[in-house]
Amino acid sequence: MANYNVVPLQRLVEQFERLPGIGSKTAQRLAYFVLNMPEEQAKEFSQAIIEAHEKIRRCEVCCNLSDREKCPVCSSPTRDRSTICVVETPRDALAIEGTGEYKGTYHVLHGVISPLNGMGPDQLCIKELLARLNNAEVSEVIMATNPTVEGEATAMYLSRLFKPLGVKITRLAYGIPVGGDLEYADDVTLARALEGRSEL
Amino acid sequence: MANYNVVPLQRLVEQFERLPGIGSKTAQRLAYFVLNMPEEQAKEFSQAIIEAHEKIRRCEVCCNLSDREKCPVCSSPTRDRSTICVVETPRDALAIEGTGEYKGTYHVLHGVISPLNGMGPDQLCIKELLARLNNAEVSEVIMATNPTVEGEATAMYLSRLFKPLGVKITRLAYGIPVGGDLEYADDVTLARALEGRSEL
């Protein structure tokens, strides 16, 4: 393994191998690509990693990632503060934001309740959400956790926790994905789609 | 696009998008992963990029990548210095080294002759190869450039250049890949396989 004795290269390959979905062949290809970059670009890349770590923190309101005290959504004057969409991760918030249909605010839990992975309610940003709900402003909480066992359990846990506060709690609709095929939909999804049918 | 206003994160996503085979969704996933790494690991990653650039240079004999003056192959006392395998890139050398079958040395051209991409013989490490051939030691040069138009042209160019030196010049065998299927082999490969048939 000739090049594997080239320590700095090998170290760079290992760094790429750590990333999700990057196998050893891809890691090698990426490492060589970075090595062939102009030095200026490599420095930018290296700097971007450090800066992301140093400058990004959690929004003090919704716990989403931000480079200021409040994230752009929470500091926007045009967003509807009476609706909070609860998501597992910042990327989920980004996905909903991508639809362009949602005008309320978000709350990022940074995980789901998952005893197997050692994640209890205390590890999630639930305290911050409770603080927001104690504000009279909020009228609806949309549970937008993933439709997995853990996501469901978290949504159930939170809705029980929030019931006494008298806030309306909703859940994203389940059903056949748009453009999907009934034939290929799984039983559970199909059953949920039937259950949640609406009048035309 | 909530998170896209988070400048340091967006910058990191862009850096990943530059890498080959990484689309915008994957770049996003990788950037979030790096952001969730412990700070120690992020620093290591950042450092590995810079170090690879600073410490890696070309072996003064074979032009392969190395962190010392001579690469591990060229400085090994057990390698057969009479055979030189000419490859396009360090990764090609690595692939051949991976077979464990080759005991000679390498020479990395760092590209192929490709007038369309502005690559002429002067941009390749041909000077260094000529210097090695003028050594009496070398008895065979194996042309292991890729079986593409440019790879072929480069192999032809080099073999004409080296003919006067009286060295034996060989080319890797063409044929059906092991485990391949005749039915799916393309015409050119099949024709070459017929042409290069050997007695059983």
CSV table of all heavy atoms in Angstrom, one decimal, chain B residues 124-170:
chain,number,residue,atom,x,y,z
B,124,LEU,N,3.4,17.0,-18.1
B,124,LEU,CA,3.5,15.7,-17.4
B,124,LEU,C,4.9,15.4,-16.9
B,124,LEU,O,5.8,16.1,-17.3
B,124,LEU,CB,3.1,14.6,-18.3
B,124,LEU,CG,1.7,14.7,-19.0
B,124,LEU,CD1,1.4,13.6,-20.0
B,124,LEU,CD2,0.6,14.9,-17.9
B,125,CYS,N,5.0,14.5,-15.9
B,125,CYS,CA,6.3,14.2,-15.4
B,125,CYS,C,7.1,13.2,-16.3
B,125,CYS,O,7.4,12.1,-15.9
B,125,CYS,CB,6.2,13.5,-14.0
B,125,CYS,SG,5.5,14.6,-12.8
B,126,ILE,N,7.4,13.7,-17.5
B,126,ILE,CA,8.0,12.8,-18.5
B,126,ILE,C,9.5,13.0,-18.4
B,126,ILE,O,10.3,12.0,-18.5
B,126,ILE,CB,7.5,13.1,-19.9
B,126,ILE,CG1,6.0,12.7,-20.0
B,126,ILE,CG2,8.3,12.4,-21.0
B,126,ILE,CD1,5.4,13.0,-21.3
B,127,LYS,N,10.0,14.2,-18.2
B,127,LYS,CA,11.4,14.5,-18.0
B,127,LYS,C,12.0,13.5,-17.0
B,127,LYS,O,13.0,12.9,-17.2
B,127,LYS,CB,11.5,15.9,-17.4
B,127,LYS,CG,12.0,17.0,-18.3
B,127,LYS,CD,12.4,18.3,-17.7
B,127,LYS,CE,11.9,18.6,-16.3
B,127,LYS,NZ,10.5,19.1,-16.2
B,128,GLU,N,11.3,13.4,-15.8
B,128,GLU,CA,11.8,12.6,-14.7
B,128,GLU,C,11.9,11.1,-15.1
B,128,GLU,O,12.8,10.4,-14.7
B,128,GLU,CB,10.9,12.8,-13.5
B,128,GLU,CG,10.9,14.1,-12.9
B,128,GLU,CD,10.0,15.1,-13.5
B,128,GLU,OE1,9.4,14.9,-14.6
B,128,GLU,OE2,9.7,16.2,-12.9
B,129,LEU,N,10.9,10.7,-16.0
B,129,LEU,CA,10.9,9.3,-16.4
B,129,LEU,C,12.1,9.1,-17.4
B,129,LEU,O,12.8,8.1,-17.3
B,129,LEU,CB,9.6,9.0,-17.1
B,129,LEU,CG,9.3,7.6,-17.6
B,129,LEU,CD1,9.6,6.6,-16.5
B,129,LEU,CD2,7.9,7.4,-18.1
B,130,LEU,N,12.3,10.0,-18.3
B,130,LEU,CA,13.5,9.9,-19.2
B,130,LEU,C,14.8,9.8,-18.4
B,130,LEU,O,15.6,9.0,-18.8
B,130,LEU,CB,13.5,11.1,-20.1
B,130,LEU,CG,12.8,11.0,-21.5
B,130,LEU,CD1,12.8,12.3,-22.2
B,130,LEU,CD2,13.5,9.9,-22.3
B,131,ALA,N,14.9,10.6,-17.4
B,131,ALA,CA,16.1,10.6,-16.6
B,131,ALA,C,16.3,9.2,-16.0
B,131,ALA,O,17.5,8.7,-15.9
B,131,ALA,CB,16.0,11.6,-15.5
B,132,ARG,N,15.2,8.6,-15.5
B,132,ARG,CA,15.3,7.2,-14.9
B,132,ARG,C,15.7,6.2,-16.0
B,132,ARG,O,16.5,5.3,-15.7
B,132,ARG,CB,14.0,6.8,-14.3
B,132,ARG,CG,13.6,7.6,-13.1
B,132,ARG,CD,12.3,7.2,-12.6
B,132,ARG,NE,12.3,5.9,-11.9
B,132,ARG,CZ,11.2,5.4,-11.4
B,132,ARG,NH1,10.0,6.0,-11.5
B,132,ARG,NH2,11.2,4.2,-10.8
B,133,LEU,N,15.2,6.4,-17.2
B,133,LEU,CA,15.4,5.4,-18.3
B,133,LEU,C,16.9,5.5,-18.7
B,133,LEU,O,17.4,4.5,-19.2
B,133,LEU,CB,14.5,5.6,-19.5
B,133,LEU,CG,13.0,5.3,-19.2
B,133,LEU,CD1,12.2,5.5,-20.4
B,133,LEU,CD2,12.9,3.9,-18.7
B,134,ASN,N,17.5,6.6,-18.6
B,134,ASN,CA,18.9,6.8,-19.0
B,134,ASN,C,19.8,6.0,-18.1
B,134,ASN,O,21.0,5.8,-18.4
B,134,ASN,CB,19.3,8.2,-19.1
B,134,ASN,CG,18.7,8.8,-20.4
B,134,ASN,OD1,18.6,8.2,-21.4
B,134,ASN,ND2,18.3,10.1,-20.3
B,135,ASN,N,19.2,5.6,-17.0
B,135,ASN,CA,19.9,4.7,-16.1
B,135,ASN,C,20.0,3.3,-16.7
B,135,ASN,O,19.0,2.8,-17.2
B,135,ASN,CB,19.2,4.6,-14.8
B,135,ASN,CG,19.9,5.2,-13.6
B,135,ASN,OD1,21.1,4.9,-13.5
B,135,ASN,ND2,19.3,6.0,-12.8
B,136,ALA,N,21.1,2.6,-16.6
B,136,ALA,CA,21.2,1.3,-17.2
B,136,ALA,C,20.3,0.3,-16.6
B,136,ALA,O,19.9,-0.7,-17.2
B,136,ALA,CB,22.7,0.8,-17.2
B,137,GLU,N,19.9,0.5,-15.3
B,137,GLU,CA,19.2,-0.5,-14.5
B,137,GLU,C,17.9,-0.9,-15.2
B,137,GLU,O,17.5,-2.1,-15.0
B,137,GLU,CB,18.8,0.2,-13.2
B,137,GLU,CG,19.7,0.0,-12.1
B,137,GLU,CD,19.1,0.4,-10.8
B,137,GLU,OE1,18.5,1.6,-10.7
B,137,GLU,OE2,19.1,-0.3,-9.8
B,138,VAL,N,17.1,0.0,-15.8
B,138,VAL,CA,15.8,-0.3,-16.2
B,138,VAL,C,15.7,-1.2,-17.5
B,138,VAL,O,16.3,-0.9,-18.5
B,138,VAL,CB,15.0,1.0,-16.5
B,138,VAL,CG1,13.6,0.7,-16.9
B,138,VAL,CG2,15.1,1.9,-15.3
B,139,SER,N,14.9,-2.3,-17.4
B,139,SER,CA,14.8,-3.2,-18.5
B,139,SER,C,13.4,-3.2,-19.1
B,139,SER,O,13.2,-3.6,-20.2
B,139,SER,CB,15.2,-4.6,-18.1
B,139,SER,OG,14.4,-5.1,-17.1
B,140,GLU,N,12.4,-2.8,-18.3
B,140,GLU,CA,11.0,-2.9,-18.8
B,140,GLU,C,10.2,-1.7,-18.3
B,140,GLU,O,10.3,-1.4,-17.1
B,140,GLU,CB,10.3,-4.2,-18.4
B,140,GLU,CG,8.9,-4.3,-19.0
B,140,GLU,CD,8.2,-5.6,-18.7
B,140,GLU,OE1,8.9,-6.5,-18.1
B,140,GLU,OE2,7.0,-5.7,-19.0
B,141,VAL,N,9.4,-1.1,-19.2
B,141,VAL,CA,8.5,-0.1,-18.9
B,141,VAL,C,7.1,-0.6,-19.2
B,141,VAL,O,6.8,-0.9,-20.3
B,141,VAL,CB,8.8,1.2,-19.6
B,141,VAL,CG1,7.7,2.3,-19.3
B,141,VAL,CG2,10.1,1.8,-19.3
B,142,ILE,N,6.2,-0.7,-18.2
B,142,ILE,CA,4.9,-1.1,-18.4
B,142,ILE,C,4.0,0.1,-18.5
B,142,ILE,O,3.9,0.9,-17.5
B,142,ILE,CB,4.4,-2.0,-17.2
B,142,ILE,CG1,5.3,-3.2,-16.9
B,142,ILE,CG2,2.9,-2.5,-17.4
B,142,ILE,CD1,5.1,-3.9,-15.6
B,143,MET,N,3.3,0.3,-19.6
B,143,MET,CA,2.4,1.4,-19.8
B,143,MET,C,1.1,1.0,-19.1
B,143,MET,O,0.3,0.2,-19.7
B,143,MET,CB,2.2,1.7,-21.3
B,143,MET,CG,3.4,2.2,-21.9
B,143,MET,SD,3.9,3.9,-21.3
B,143,MET,CE,5.5,4.0,-22.0
B,144,ALA,N,0.8,1.6,-18.0
B,144,ALA,CA,-0.5,1.3,-17.3
B,144,ALA,C,-1.4,2.5,-17.3
B,144,ALA,O,-2.1,2.8,-16.3
B,144,ALA,CB,-0.2,0.8,-15.9
B,145,THR,N,-1.4,3.3,-18.4
B,145,THR,CA,-2.4,4.4,-18.5
B,145,THR,C,-3.7,3.8,-18.7
B,145,THR,O,-3.8,2.7,-19.1
B,145,THR,CB,-2.0,5.4,-19.6
B,145,THR,OG1,-1.8,4.6,-20.8
B,145,THR,CG2,-0.7,6.1,-19.3
B,146,ASN,N,-4.8,4.6,-18.5
B,146,ASN,CA,-6.1,4.1,-18.7
B,146,ASN,C,-6.5,3.8,-20.1
B,146,ASN,O,-5.9,4.4,-21.0
B,146,ASN,CB,-7.1,5.1,-18.2
B,146,ASN,CG,-7.2,5.1,-16.6
B,146,ASN,OD1,-7.2,4.1,-16.0
B,146,ASN,ND2,-7.2,6.3,-16.1
B,147,PRO,N,-7.3,2.8,-20.4
B,147,PRO,CA,-7.7,2.4,-21.8
B,147,PRO,C,-8.7,3.4,-22.3
B,147,PRO,O,-9.8,3.1,-22.8
B,147,PRO,CB,-8.3,1.0,-21.6
B,147,PRO,CG,-8.8,0.9,-20.2
B,147,PRO,CD,-7.9,1.9,-19.4
B,148,THR,N,-8.4,4.7,-22.3
B,148,THR,CA,-9.2,5.8,-22.9
B,148,THR,C,-8.5,6.3,-24.0
B,148,THR,O,-7.3,6.0,-24.2
B,148,THR,CB,-9.5,6.9,-21.9
B,148,THR,OG1,-8.2,7.4,-21.4
B,148,THR,CG2,-10.2,6.4,-20.6
B,149,VAL,N,-9.1,7.2,-24.8
B,149,VAL,CA,-8.4,7.8,-26.0
B,149,VAL,C,-7.1,8.5,-25.5
B,149,VAL,O,-6.1,8.3,-26.1
B,149,VAL,CB,-9.4,8.8,-26.7
B,149,VAL,CG1,-8.6,9.4,-27.9
B,149,VAL,CG2,-10.6,8.1,-27.2
B,150,GLU,N,-7.2,9.3,-24.5
B,150,GLU,CA,-6.1,10.1,-24.0
B,150,GLU,C,-5.0,9.1,-23.4
B,150,GLU,O,-3.8,9.3,-23.7
B,150,GLU,CB,-6.5,11.1,-22.9
B,150,GLU,CG,-7.2,12.3,-23.4
B,150,GLU,CD,-8.7,12.1,-23.3
B,150,GLU,OE1,-9.2,10.9,-23.1
B,150,GLU,OE2,-9.5,13.1,-23.5
B,151,GLY,N,-5.5,8.1,-22.7
B,151,GLY,CA,-4.5,7.2,-22.1
B,151,GLY,C,-3.7,6.4,-23.1
B,151,GLY,O,-2.5,6.3,-23.0
B,152,GLU,N,-4.5,6.0,-24.2
B,152,GLU,CA,-3.8,5.3,-25.3
B,152,GLU,C,-2.8,6.2,-26.0
B,152,GLU,O,-1.7,5.8,-26.3
B,152,GLU,CB,-4.9,4.9,-26.3
B,152,GLU,CG,-5.8,3.8,-25.9
B,152,GLU,CD,-5.1,2.5,-25.7
B,152,GLU,OE1,-4.2,2.2,-26.6
B,152,GLU,OE2,-5.3,1.8,-24.7
B,153,ALA,N,-3.2,7.5,-26.3
B,153,ALA,CA,-2.4,8.4,-27.0
B,153,ALA,C,-1.1,8.6,-26.2
B,153,ALA,O,0.0,8.7,-26.8
B,153,ALA,CB,-3.1,9.7,-27.3
B,154,THR,N,-1.3,8.8,-24.9
B,154,THR,CA,-0.1,9.0,-24.0
B,154,THR,C,0.8,7.8,-24.1
B,154,THR,O,2.1,8.0,-24.2
B,154,THR,CB,-0.6,9.3,-22.6
B,154,THR,OG1,-1.5,10.3,-22.6
B,154,THR,CG2,0.6,9.7,-21.7
B,155,ALA,N,0.3,6.6,-24.0
B,155,ALA,CA,1.1,5.4,-24.0
B,155,ALA,C,1.8,5.3,-25.4
B,155,ALA,O,3.0,5.0,-25.4
B,155,ALA,CB,0.2,4.2,-23.8
B,156,MET,N,1.1,5.6,-26.5
B,156,MET,CA,1.8,5.6,-27.8
B,156,MET,C,2.9,6.6,-27.9
B,156,MET,O,4.0,6.3,-28.3
B,156,MET,CB,0.7,5.9,-28.9
B,156,MET,CG,-0.2,4.8,-29.2
B,156,MET,SD,0.6,3.3,-29.6
B,156,MET,CE,1.4,3.7,-31.1
B,157,TYR,N,2.6,7.8,-27.4
B,157,TYR,CA,3.6,8.9,-27.4
B,157,TYR,C,4.9,8.5,-26.7
B,157,TYR,O,6.0,8.6,-27.2
B,157,TYR,CB,3.0,10.2,-26.8
B,157,TYR,CG,4.0,11.3,-26.7
B,157,TYR,CD1,4.2,12.2,-27.7
B,157,TYR,CD2,4.7,11.5,-25.5
B,157,TYR,CE1,5.1,13.2,-27.5
B,157,TYR,CE2,5.6,12.5,-25.3
B,157,TYR,CZ,5.8,13.4,-26.3
B,157,TYR,OH,6.7,14.4,-26.2
B,158,LEU,N,4.7,8.0,-25.5
B,158,LEU,CA,5.8,7.6,-24.6
B,158,LEU,C,6.6,6.4,-25.3
B,158,LEU,O,7.8,6.4,-25.2
B,158,LEU,CB,5.3,7.2,-23.2
B,158,LEU,CG,4.8,8.4,-22.4
B,158,LEU,CD1,4.4,7.9,-21.0
B,158,LEU,CD2,5.8,9.5,-22.2
B,159,SER,N,5.8,5.5,-25.8
B,159,SER,CA,6.6,4.3,-26.3
B,159,SER,C,7.4,4.7,-27.5
B,159,SER,O,8.5,4.2,-27.7
B,159,SER,CB,5.6,3.2,-26.7
B,159,SER,OG,4.8,3.6,-27.8
B,160,ARG,N,6.9,5.7,-28.3
B,160,ARG,CA,7.8,6.2,-29.5
B,160,ARG,C,9.0,6.9,-28.9
B,160,ARG,O,10.1,6.8,-29.5
B,160,ARG,CB,7.0,7.1,-30.4
B,160,ARG,CG,6.3,6.2,-31.4
B,160,ARG,CD,5.5,7.1,-32.4
B,160,ARG,NE,4.3,6.3,-32.8
B,160,ARG,CZ,3.2,6.8,-33.3
B,160,ARG,NH1,3.1,8.1,-33.4
B,160,ARG,NH2,2.3,6.0,-33.8
B,161,LEU,N,8.8,7.7,-27.9
B,161,LEU,CA,9.8,8.5,-27.3
B,161,LEU,C,11.0,7.6,-26.7
B,161,LEU,O,12.1,7.9,-26.8
B,161,LEU,CB,9.2,9.3,-26.2
B,161,LEU,CG,10.1,10.5,-25.6
B,161,LEU,CD1,10.2,11.6,-26.6
B,161,LEU,CD2,9.4,11.0,-24.3
B,162,PHE,N,10.5,6.4,-26.2
B,162,PHE,CA,11.5,5.6,-25.5
B,162,PHE,C,12.1,4.5,-26.4
B,162,PHE,O,13.1,3.9,-26.0
B,162,PHE,CB,10.8,4.9,-24.3
B,162,PHE,CG,10.2,5.8,-23.2
B,162,PHE,CD1,9.2,5.4,-22.4
B,162,PHE,CD2,10.7,7.1,-23.1
B,162,PHE,CE1,8.7,6.3,-21.5
B,162,PHE,CE2,10.2,8.0,-22.2
B,162,PHE,CZ,9.2,7.6,-21.4
B,163,LYS,N,11.5,4.2,-27.5
B,163,LYS,CA,12.0,3.2,-28.4
B,163,LYS,C,13.5,3.3,-28.6
B,163,LYS,O,14.2,2.3,-28.5
B,163,LYS,CB,11.3,3.3,-29.8
B,163,LYS,CG,10.1,2.4,-29.9
B,163,LYS,CD,10.4,1.0,-30.4
B,163,LYS,CE,9.4,0.0,-30.0
B,163,LYS,NZ,8.1,0.2,-30.6
B,164,PRO,N,14.1,4.5,-29.0
B,164,PRO,CA,15.5,4.6,-29.2
B,164,PRO,C,16.4,4.2,-28.1
B,164,PRO,O,17.6,3.9,-28.2
B,164,PRO,CB,15.7,6.1,-29.5
B,164,PRO,CG,14.4,6.6,-29.8
B,164,PRO,CD,13.4,5.8,-29.1
B,165,LEU,N,15.8,4.2,-26.9
B,165,LEU,CA,16.6,3.8,-25.7
B,165,LEU,C,16.8,2.3,-25.5
B,165,LEU,O,17.5,1.8,-24.6
B,165,LEU,CB,16.0,4.4,-24.4
B,165,LEU,CG,15.7,5.9,-24.4
B,165,LEU,CD1,15.0,6.3,-23.1
B,165,LEU,CD2,17.1,6.6,-24.4
B,166,GLY,N,16.1,1.5,-26.4
B,166,GLY,CA,16.3,0.1,-26.4
B,166,GLY,C,15.6,-0.6,-25.2
B,166,GLY,O,16.0,-1.7,-24.9
B,167,VAL,N,14.7,0.0,-24.5
B,167,VAL,CA,14.1,-0.6,-23.4
B,167,VAL,C,12.8,-1.3,-23.8
B,167,VAL,O,12.2,-0.9,-24.8
B,167,VAL,CB,13.8,0.5,-22.3
B,167,VAL,CG1,12.7,1.4,-22.8
B,167,VAL,CG2,13.3,-0.1,-21.0
B,168,LYS,N,12.5,-2.4,-23.2
B,168,LYS,CA,11.3,-3.2,-23.5
B,168,LYS,C,10.0,-2.4,-23.0
B,168,LYS,O,10.0,-2.0,-21.8
B,168,LYS,CB,11.3,-4.5,-22.8
B,168,LYS,CG,10.2,-5.5,-23.1
B,168,LYS,CD,10.5,-6.8,-22.5
B,168,LYS,CE,9.3,-7.7,-22.3
B,168,LYS,NZ,9.6,-8.8,-21.4
B,169,ILE,N,9.1,-2.2,-23.9
B,169,ILE,CA,7.9,-1.5,-23.5
B,169,ILE,C,6.6,-2.4,-23.6
B,169,ILE,O,6.4,-2.9,-24.6
B,169,ILE,CB,7.7,-0.2,-24.4
B,169,ILE,CG1,8.9,0.7,-24.2
B,169,ILE,CG2,6.4,0.6,-24.0
B,169,ILE,CD1,9.0,1.8,-25.2
B,170,THR,N,5.9,-2.5,-22.5
B,170,THR,CA,4.7,-3.3,-22.5
B,170,THR,C,3.5,-2.5,-22.2
B,170,THR,O,3.5,-1.4,-21.7
B,170,THR,CB,4.9,-4.5,-21.6
B,170,THR,OG1,5.1,-4.0,-20.3
B,170,THR,CG2,6.0,-5.5,-22.0
